[in-house]
Amino acid sequence: MLRQHRRRLGKEKKILRLFFSLLSPCTIFAPIMSITPIIRPFFKGRVRAIERYAAHAEEIQREVLHSLLRQPSDTQPAQRHQ
């Protein structure tokens, strides 16, 4: 679940970078136009993630803790001491 979230954020960042690179020349020619309706769909996933965190903070923190505790078990010293 955490990996999917990170992967999704990476994709969103790439999309936003592309969008802003395409948008920057447009702002020179149309400075009055509001870009909020254009950008809103790109931030929809981020807003959902923030709402999920607000509703399920304890569950998400527990997932992160378990993933951090599992990581050292993949090292050679940890495998020798099991």
Side-chain angles (χ1 to χ4, degrees), residues 1-4 6 59-79 82:
M1 185 181 249
L2 186 63
R3 287 182 186 166
Q4 291 173 346
R6 286 182 182 159
E59 176 188 344
I60 294 170
Q61 289 175 5
R62 197 170 277 126
E63 286 176 14
V64 171
L65 175 64
H66 287 293
S67 71
L68 291 172
L69 292 174
R70 272 193 306 265
Q71 286 177 356
S73 65
D74 294 337
T75 63
Q76 286 180 348
Q79 290 173 357
Q82 286 183 345

Side-chain angles (χ1 to χ4, degrees), residues 18-35:
L18 174 65
F19 176 75
F20 283 115
S21 68
L22 295 173
L23 182 67
S24 58
C26 298
T27 56
I28 296 169
F29 300 110
I32 300 171
M33 183 180 137
S34 173
I35 61 171

